[in-house]
Amino acid sequence: MFKSRKVHKEDAWDGIVIDKTRGMTDGSNLYHYVEVRLQDGTTKKARIEKALWETLNTGDRLVKEPGSPAPARAPQ
C-alpha cells in the first residue's frame, strides 16, 4: 500500500526532528524526508525540500502551520 509523505497545505503539526533520510522511492528522483516526534508522542514522516533538509539536525524543532506550503524551522 502506498502512503504519501507529501506535506499538504492544510496540515498543521509541531515536533522535534528524530531522523533524516533520503531516497529514490520512484527510481528517478531523490526525495528528502524527516521523521518528527509530535507533541502527543506519535511520529510523522514528511517529505521536505533539500535546502531545509540540509540545515536540520536531530533535535531541531519543525512547525507546519495550516496554509503554509511547507514546514519551517521553529525560532529558537
Side-chain angles (χ1 to χ4, degrees):
M1 174 129 236
F2 175 76
K3 182 171 183 175
S4 176
R5 305 290 185 195
K6 189 173 182 182
V7 176
H8 299 283
K9 243 184 160 173
E10 65 276 1
D11 291 347
W13 46 266
D14 181 349
I16 304 296
V17 175
I18 57 173
D19 193 25
K20 293 175 24 174
T21 58
R22 59 187 181 164
M24 295 179 72
T25 55
D26 64 3
S28 62
N29 296 304
L30 183 62
Y31 296 107
H32 296 80
Y33 302 95
V34 289
E35 188 169 357
V36 178
R37 182 170 318 281
L38 304 177
Q39 292 181 340
D40 64 2
T42 61
T43 60
K44 175 178 187 64
K45 189 171 183 178
R47 190 173 91 193
I48 61 171
E49 295 292 324
K50 178 184 178 185
L52 177 59
W53 185 87
E54 289 177 336
T55 66
L56 292 173
N57 294 309
T58 301
D60 289 343
R61 187 168 155 243
L62 279 181
V63 176
K64 170 60 178 83
E65 299 289 341
S68 68
R73 174 182 258 161
Q76 305 235 356

